[in-house]
Amino acid sequence: MENEVKRQKVHKLKNSNRLIIPIIAALVIVCAGVGAYFYYDYSNRVYSNCVVELGSTVEAGDFLKNTNKTASFAAGTVVSTEQAGVYDVVVQCDPYTYDCTLEVVDTVAPTLTLQELTRTKEEIPTANDFVVEANDLSGNVTVYFSTGVSFDNYGDIPITIAAEDGSGNRTEAQTTLHLVEEYDIEPPVIEGQLDKIVYKGQSVSYKSGITVVDNVDNDIEIQVDSSNVNLDVPGEYTVIYTATDSMGNMDLKEGIVTVIEQLYSEDEVYSLCDEVLGTIITDDMSDYDKAHAIYVWVQGNIGYSESTDRDDWLKGAYDGLQNRHGDCYTYFAVSKALLTRAGIKNEDIEIIPTATRHHYWNVIDCGEGWRHFDTTPRLDKSFKGFYLTDEELMAYSDEHYHSHNYDREIYTYFNDVQEQ
């Protein structure tokens, strides 16, 4: 009996042991799974290293792999991208804290703006003398001559300047050194048609008809300050023109832009021109022959009468073509309209005005250079103002009380011819 009881106890114990082993195994698996989950969650939340460009903005969220999570830098963590390098940062993403590194790199080259210089051999410039601006995010830029420079000969010397930051990023730019025997102290001179007349709402080419003459430099750019002009409101506005040579010598001139209402359109004026041109020119005519036909027609069909309206050439042309009379401004305006419509290159010109005299006429270019074109009849019946060279017209002007005394600083059409 006692032995039977012992056998039953042993049997129960064996059965219990058989149940404990699976339970323990299950617990081990569950713990391992939970541990694996938390380890995966921990290790896959952040990037251990984040690379950013110098000067850029960095947030703790930039370290997160899962953008649905939120993160912050732990208290005491200082984050700066002002200098290249590798920095330790602590990222907090609840419930974990991560030790990461922030790598700040500099891959952007400096910006470099240069100027031309004029110097004598006694004042040889350094590389920095050519620099107008050299900037880099690092704030540390070294400027030097990128190629060897010889200062042995006078003239224009090509210069290559390099700007390099602390990370080795480099930018090169070219400029010119004008090496002269002595300094230029003579300023440039702005010449041409500084005053403009423009119709309301239309654009204006401020630099058209304006040139800069300098004793040393060529191709000096004209700077225009037209900030005061309102092309939508009729009136007179001041425009400032400036020109500066390579030595810093400057000329400044003022012009007046007059904005006027447009009473007649070009289409209306050119429609009247087409009626005239259809009767006096043909397609096989040369520009010279067309211009001569226009000259003859204007002189033979426009009568002279006094007028004071001299601001709107389209109105002058329209009135002249419609009414067939007017003063010198009408003759000029009608000629301008017909010449333009016929495809003949032409420009405007006027006398230096006096208290008692004003006069307008045209200049044309038919392929042989500029010639004067004055259709206004004169008391001197022998005068024919067609296709006159500047010398011919000035000779007549000198003999007739300076009848065509124009300002050569404003109208530069014939300046080159006179210098040859």
Side-chain angles (χ1 to χ4, degrees):
M1 185 67 178
E2 182 179 353
N3 290 333
E4 183 64 26
V5 172
K6 288 182 178 180
R7 283 196 301 270
Q8 290 179 357
K9 287 182 178 180
V10 170
H11 180 72
K12 290 180 179 179
L13 181 60
K14 288 182 178 179
N15 289 337
S16 299
N17 290 337
R18 290 173 183 170
L19 291 174
I20 290 172
I21 292 173
I23 293 173
I24 292 174
L27 289 173
V28 170
I29 293 172
V30 169
C31 290
V34 171
Y37 168 78
F38 280 106
Y39 178 78
Y40 176 84
D41 182 49
Y42 173 84
S43 61
N44 283 275
R45 280 199 181 188
V46 300
Y47 299 101
S48 60
N49 182 59
C50 184
V51 180
V52 298
E53 185 66 37
L54 184 76
S56 60
T57 301
V58 178
E59 298 178 353
D62 296 333
F63 287 82
L64 294 182
K65 294 181 180 179
N66 186 350
T67 57
N68 293 323
K69 300 287 186 179
T70 59
S72 62
F73 290 114
T77 297
V78 178
V79 178
S80 174
T81 62
E82 295 180 359
Q83 291 185 348
V86 179
Y87 305 93
D88 294 328
V89 296
V90 179
V91 177
Q92 180 71 44
C93 183
D94 292 336
Y96 307 120
T97 299
Y98 300 89
D99 293 323
C100 302
T101 57
L102 172 65
E103 185 176 354
V104 180
V105 298
D106 180 9
T107 63
V108 179
T111 60
L112 179 62
T113 304
L114 304 179
Q115 63 181 342
E116 296 185 2
L117 292 179
T118 300
R119 292 289 188 272
T120 66
K121 287 188 177 182
E122 287 71 32
E123 294 181 319
I124 299 302
T126 66
N128 277 295
D129 292 331
F130 291 92
V131 176
V132 175
E133 193 173 34
N135 292 322
D136 188 73
L137 292 173
S138 67
N140 179 25
V141 182
T142 301
V143 175
Y144 54 89
F145 291 110
S146 180
T147 57
V149 182
S150 172
F151 301 105
D152 295 334
N153 300 316
Y154 294 109
D156 294 342
I157 301 174
I159 301 292
T160 302
I161 303 291
E164 186 172 333
D165 63 22
S167 299
N169 302 303
R170 188 173 73 168
T171 298
E172 289 189 354
Q174 284 73 42
T175 185
T176 302
L177 170 64
H178 307 285
L179 199 59
V180 298
E181 295 187 44
E182 58 182 7
Y183 281 119
D184 169 28
I185 60 173
E186 184 176 337
V189 178
I190 300 174
E191 299 177 337
Q193 297 170 318
L194 304 178
D195 297 336
K196 310 286 184 180
I197 297 177
V198 59
Y199 294 111
K200 173 184 173 182
Q202 294 187 356
S203 61
V204 55
S205 178
Y206 293 102
K207 296 181 182 180
S208 175
I210 299 177
T211 60
V212 178
V213 179
D214 188 69
N215 63 319
V216 174
D217 297 324
N218 297 319
D219 301 324
I220 296 176
E221 184 178 358
I222 302 171
Q223 303 296 325
V224 182
D225 180 1
S226 59
S227 58
N228 184 47
V229 179
N230 187 343
L231 296 174
D232 294 323
V233 179
E236 293 185 350
Y237 303 92
T238 301
V239 177
I240 306 298
Y241 300 88
T242 56
T244 306
D245 65 18
S246 60
M247 285 300 296
N249 304 307
M250 185 181 72
D251 187 24
L252 183 149
K253 292 285 197 315
E254 289 188 358
I256 300 296
V257 172
T258 303
V259 181
I260 62 175
E261 296 278 1
Q262 183 172 342
L263 301 180
Y264 300 102
S265 68
E266 288 186 352
D267 289 342
E268 291 176 295
V269 173
Y270 290 154
S271 177
L272 296 176
C273 290
D274 290 343
E275 295 178 11
V276 173
L277 295 174
T279 64
I280 63 173
I281 67 172
T282 58
D283 293 337
D284 60 348
M285 284 183 172
S286 66
D287 282 351
Y288 175 93
D289 292 333
K290 291 177 183 178
H292 187 262
I294 291 171
Y295 179 88
V296 172
W297 186 91
V298 173
Q299 281 223 319
N301 290 272
I302 305 294
Y304 189 88
S305 64
E306 291 295 337
S307 173
T308 58
D309 190 0
R310 295 171 178 173
D311 290 330
D312 186 346
W313 81 269
L314 283 175
K315 181 178 184 303
Y318 187 90
D319 290 344
L321 290 166
Q322 278 283 64
N323 304 322
R324 301 296 174 89
H325 64 82
D327 63 3
C328 65
Y329 190 82
T330 303
Y331 282 87
F332 145 78
V334 169
S335 298
K336 177 182 177 74
L338 291 171
L339 289 166
T340 301
R341 192 60 171 168
I344 299 171
K345 185 178 180 181
N346 68 94
E347 295 289 349
D348 314 340
I349 196 166
E350 64 178 289
I351 196 175
I352 298 174
T354 67
T356 59
R357 184 172 58 182
H358 213 142
H359 187 53
Y360 300 84
W361 68 100
N362 315 85
V363 291
I364 63 173
D365 185 354
C366 295
E368 298 177 316
W370 292 104
R371 298 290 188 273
H372 292 278
F373 187 95
D374 186 357
T375 54
T376 303
R378 302 189 65 83
L379 295 177
D380 178 11
K381 301 298 183 182
S382 64
F383 174 77
K384 183 176 181 180
F386 174 72
Y387 214 65
L388 297 178
T389 65
D390 195 54
E391 291 78 5
E392 291 171 336
L393 185 61
M394 290 305 99
Y396 177 87
S397 177
D398 291 342
E399 295 175 359
H400 293 81
Y401 307 100
H402 304 293
S403 60
H404 293 78
N405 183 31
Y406 68 91
D407 189 342
R408 280 173 171 76
E409 290 189 1
I410 297 177
Y411 306 102
T412 59
Y413 312 120
F414 302 94
N415 286 359
D416 293 338
V417 174
Q418 291 176 336
E419 293 172 0
Q420 292 177 354

